[in-house]
Amino acid sequence: MTLSEFRARFPILARRVYVNTCSQGALSIDVDEAMRAYLDSWHESGSPWEMWVEQVERLRVRFAASIGADSDEVAVMPSASAGINAVASSLTFDTPRSHVVVGDFEFPTMAQAWMAQERRGATIRRAHAASTSPDTLPLDAYDAVIDERTLIVPAAHVCFRNGHKTDIAGLTRLAHDRGAYILLDDYQRTGSGPIDVHALGVDFMVTGCLKYLLAAAGIGFLYVRRDLIERFEPTVTGWFGRVNPFAFRIDALDWPAGASRFETGTPPVPNAYAALAALQLLERVGYEAVGQQVDHLVGRFAAAARDAGFVVRTPSAPERRGPLAVVQSVDGPALVSKLAARGIIASCRGNGLRIAFHAYNTDADVDAVLGALSAEWSLLDRISVEK
Ligand SMILES: Cc1ncc(COP(=O)(O)O)c(C=O)c1O
């Protein structure tokens, strides 16, 4: 499938410039049809649970393949937060190794889920961004706090606030050298290009479907490295975390050998329909092609925005940025409204305007956003007005 065939699958792109995939991916015809297929199956068959559960299993297989994992290393969760809490509930903090190292660029859940473990004995250590460069988080910041007391390092791949991409391979080596686990939060990257979790060496990874995976809210994934799975028995559990949920036992707690032991209740069936269709669509265009287009668009946008004198908070080095570029505004919400009036859908976090690209975006989208920003220059923080 070519990029323009891919783009044609998203009706909204005929009417709007859509650069808000960091919040919600655009709706494709494929996902629309899949959700209708779910409703049809409900209308037709009433309660086809076998078929519905089978759909979740197909999704598990497909998602695992898309990140270079095996399907029994993947748990299908209702959210990324549920995946993080499943890991947290599996750990014990009553040993000398009880520190959790949390960086400044984490999504709130990632900090909050671990702060909640302080009651169970965890100590939070912070890896801070440099005071002189508040939008960069170098490995040195982690190096200063990861030590023989560190149990786990939860880390976002791409920051939702400023687009900074952390060197996860380097951070994984650092954590492992000091005997700590690493939990990758890949939510702001998954679907925007290829990843191979085995090659990366992370211990755990969480992500979800509603952003660059181009599906709906209500579904996430937890990857657990094969050799770790059987070490963990989460205290947050339920019948879908059993060897055979349909054994309906209330007298025994057994643990499957695979990552499904981290699951809890009835799986998110409607979302599995949507997510499977979105994954199939992404496979047709190919993750390599997606990654190249995203990288091209972000690079082109960020370079032109810098040339225009705008304050681009996302690092300029290609290896330190993901699919999101953030430009500093003087009034983020007002700028988002002005862009919406010009047919451009974007979002902000504080005064950081978030411009996110997927492979369905084009050079014309980049130009449209740049043109609108130039027209709304009074709402932008600028390095030099003359430039
Ligand atoms: C980086 C990151 N992590 C985690 C989450 C939370 O995901 P969920 O709502 O599925 O728990 C988000 C959602 O925006 C995110 O951007």
Side-chain angles (χ1 to χ4, degrees), residues 79-81 107 160 185 187-188 211:
S79 66
S81 299
F107 191 79
F160 76 106
D185 175 354
Y187 212 147
Q188 286 290 341
K211 303 175 194 295

Side-chain angles (χ1 to χ4, degrees), residues 30-285:
D30 308 65
V31 168
D32 179 314
E33 285 171 354
M35 295 195 91
R36 284 170 208 276
Y38 164 69
L39 292 175
D40 287 346
S41 74
W42 192 1
H43 270 310
E44 276 305 308
S45 312
S47 49
W49 276 106
E50 246 174 59
M51 186 173 103
W52 287 344
V53 170
E54 179 52 33
Q55 194 79 352
V56 176
E57 291 313 310
R58 288 177 60 205
L59 174 65
R60 188 195 308 276
V61 170
R62 207 114 198 181
F63 172 75
S66 78
I67 61 164
D70 299 322
S71 54
D72 59 349
E73 294 176 302
V74 168
V76 180
M77 311 298 289
S79 66
S81 299
I84 296 165
N85 278 300
V87 175
S89 88
S90 301
L91 298 173
T92 49
F93 302 93
D94 54 357
T95 71
R97 214 179 250 289
S98 60
H99 290 190
V100 180
V101 171
V102 178
D104 276 352
F105 292 177
E106 295 311 309
F107 191 79
T109 286
M110 196 60 125
Q112 292 159 3
W114 295 103
M115 286 192 284
Q117 305 307 316
E118 287 178 302
R119 249 183 299 150
R120 297 179 59 228
T123 299
I124 308 295
R125 303 285 312 276
R126 297 277 171 178
H128 290 301
S131 54
T132 49
S133 177
D135 287 311
T136 58
L137 185 56
L139 285 194
D140 289 352
Y142 283 98
D143 192 21
V145 282
I146 299 176
D147 59 23
E148 72 289 348
R149 292 164 299 176
T150 309
L151 178 59
I152 190 163
V153 182
H157 210 162
V158 174
C159 175
F160 76 106
R161 203 189 290 281
N162 61 19
H164 176 281
K165 187 178 188 186
T166 292
D167 171 8
I168 294 298
L171 186 57
T172 300
R173 280 193 296 275
L174 185 59
H176 285 175
D177 281 353
R178 297 180 191 171
Y181 296 121
I182 181 149
L183 162 59
L184 173 63
D185 175 354
D186 199 51
Y187 212 147
Q188 286 290 341
R189 195 219 58 85
T190 316
S192 68
I195 191 169
D196 182 336
V197 284
H198 286 167
L200 207 50
V202 293
D203 303 301
F204 308 95
M205 183 183 108
V206 290
T207 191
C209 291
L210 66 85
K211 303 175 194 295
Y212 302 87
L213 281 181
L214 307 177
I219 192 159
F221 298 105
L222 166 64
Y223 157 80
V224 184
R225 217 181 71 201
R226 165 170 314 290
D227 53 308
L228 299 180
I229 296 170
E230 295 198 69
R231 284 191 209 172
F232 296 112
E233 295 181 355
T235 55
V236 173
T237 191
W239 65 308
F240 269 84
R242 304 284 72 77
V243 173
N244 174 16
F246 301 99
F248 300 113
R249 296 188 64 177
I250 58 169
D251 59 344
L253 191 62
D254 59 14
W255 299 98
S260 64
R261 66 171 53 202
F262 293 93
E263 295 171 8
T264 55
T266 308
V269 172
N271 309 290
Y273 274 73
L276 193 52
L279 280 179
Q280 284 165 339
L281 180 59
L282 283 165
E283 279 167 28
R284 285 171 69 200
V285 67

Side-chain angles (χ1 to χ4, degrees), residues 304-347:
R306 278 196 176 90
D307 283 351
F310 304 145
V311 176
V312 179
R313 294 175 51 186
T314 309
S316 52
E319 67 279 12
R320 291 283 71 79
R321 60 170 198 239
L324 170 66
V326 176
V327 174
Q328 190 65 6
S329 168
V330 293
D331 185 342
L335 183 54
V336 168
S337 300
K338 292 280 190 192
L339 293 180
R342 293 172 182 273
I344 297 172
I345 301 179
S347 58

